[in-house]
């Protein structure tokens, strides 16, 4: 499973990237707002750190304007994936932008039918939002499983990018189902390393080690 980090925080991206934990980055208008940075500047900086796909989202509503924004974003760096919303106009923009050789991430996907349309429009990535479905008492993981089945039935090559990941269990479940990629905030990725028995075990080992009076270095 590829790990994308869902943030425009350059310091956090850099730290995780140095550890080999970053296969790509996803941003959105809310994350750009949170960063307090200019979208073109911060996206360029991120593309200089990470060699994998970096999603940058259009904000237009009409297809032709999305295409114009997408072309401008794609010029930032060769590893830009233009992010378009899963609307009819977004699908039109996806078709044109992928036809021009760009990676396209179709975002705000909440149903299997939407995912089917994105694959037919040639999307590189489809982003089903797990957490936001869970927020309204629907099963986000069931959507990932449905999309996996449908894409496999017809050999669609669009990659399933499990998004809106809020918990470490979301990561495990998405991996078990076979999502190609997951994107999560840096704090969720860091939490994947945590286990209380690891902490307890380490504490015991260190206490016993102190009793030996030895040193390794
Ligand atoms: C994905 O590309 C989105 O940026 C993100 O995962 C949305 O997550 P949220 O629902 O926690 O805002």
């Amino acid at each position: 499973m590829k790990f994308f980090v869902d943030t425009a925080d350059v310091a956090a991206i850099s730290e995780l990237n140095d550890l080999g934990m970053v296969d790509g980055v996803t941003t959105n208008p809310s994350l750009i707002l949170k960063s307090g940075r200019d979208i073109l500047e911060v996206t360029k900086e991120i593309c200089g750190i990470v060699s994998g796909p970096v999603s940058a989202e259009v904000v237009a509503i009409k297809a032709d304007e999305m295409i114009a924004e997408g072309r401008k974003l794609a010029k930032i760096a060769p590893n830009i994936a233009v992010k378009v919303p899963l609307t009819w106009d977004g699908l039109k923009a996806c078709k044109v932008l992928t036809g021009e050789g760009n990676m396209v991430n179709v975002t705000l996907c909440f149903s299997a039918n939407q995912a089917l349309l994105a694959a037919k429009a040639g999307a590189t990535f489809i982003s089903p939002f797990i957490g936001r479905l869970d927020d309204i008492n629907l099963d986000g993981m069931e959507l990932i499983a449905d999309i996996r089945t449908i894409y496999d039935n017809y050999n669609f090559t669009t990659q399933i990018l499990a998004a809106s990941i809020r918990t470490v269990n979301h990561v495990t479940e998405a991996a078990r189902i076979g999502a190609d990629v997951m994107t999560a905030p840096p704090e969720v990725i860091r939490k994947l390393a945590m286990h209380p028995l690891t902490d307890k075990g380490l504490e015991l080992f260190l206490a016993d080690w102190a009793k030996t009076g030895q040193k390794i270095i």
Side-chain angles (χ1 to χ4, degrees):
M1 179 190 240
K2 282 178 250 176
F3 275 21
F4 287 5
V5 59
D6 197 28
T7 186
D9 177 338
V10 173
I13 292 168
S14 244
E15 189 210 332
L16 288 168
N17 191 55
D18 288 347
L19 272 176
M21 298 295 168
V22 181
D23 300 303
V25 171
T26 50
T27 65
N28 63 38
S30 306
L31 293 171
I32 296 296
L33 172 70
K34 199 172 165 189
S35 76
R37 304 272 311 270
D38 172 85
I39 182 171
L40 300 177
E41 279 175 24
V42 74
T43 308
K44 189 169 184 172
E45 196 175 337
I46 294 168
C47 289
I49 299 168
V50 175
S51 55
V54 174
S55 289
E57 189 160 342
V58 302
V59 289
I61 300 297
K62 294 194 171 136
D64 54 346
E65 291 168 15
M66 284 187 206
I67 293 163
E69 288 182 355
R71 285 176 180 149
K72 181 162 183 184
L73 292 170
K75 279 200 188 113
I76 296 173
N79 55 330
I80 286 287
V82 179
K83 213 173 180 191
V84 300
L86 212 156
T87 58
W88 204 249
D89 281 73
L91 293 169
K92 284 184 193 168
C94 172
K95 185 76 185 156
V96 171
L97 291 166
T98 53
E100 292 174 357
N102 301 295
M103 289 187 283
V104 174
N105 175 359
V106 180
T107 189
L108 290 168
C109 171
F110 294 97
S111 80
N113 284 336
Q114 287 182 317
L116 187 51
L117 291 175
K120 291 186 78 66
T124 317
F125 301 102
I126 181 69
S127 288
F129 275 35
I130 297 171
R132 292 192 195 187
L133 282 167
D134 288 358
D135 286 345
I136 59 161
N137 218 16
L138 293 173
D139 189 346
M141 218 44 78
E142 196 178 304
L143 175 59
I144 302 288
D146 284 347
I147 300 172
R148 182 73 282 156
T149 303
I150 291 167
Y151 280 11
D152 289 350
N153 282 348
Y154 300 101
N155 295 321
F156 284 120
T157 54
T158 299
Q159 295 181 52
I160 302 173
L161 198 174
S164 188
I165 294 247
R166 307 266 176 78
T167 68
V168 290
N169 286 345
H170 279 157
V171 178
T172 316
E173 288 173 49
R176 194 179 283 141
I177 291 166
D180 301 286
V181 191
M182 72 91 195
T183 188
E187 55 275 19
V188 173
I189 295 176
R190 284 191 208 102
K191 277 186 195 160
L192 293 172
M194 292 178 190
H195 198 289
L197 290 180
T198 304
D199 296 341
K200 197 176 167 193
L202 184 60
E203 201 182 306
L204 285 171
F205 283 154
L206 292 181
D208 285 344
W209 181 248
K211 287 178 204 158
T212 69
Q214 299 179 42
K215 280 191 171 30
I216 294 175
I217 292 174

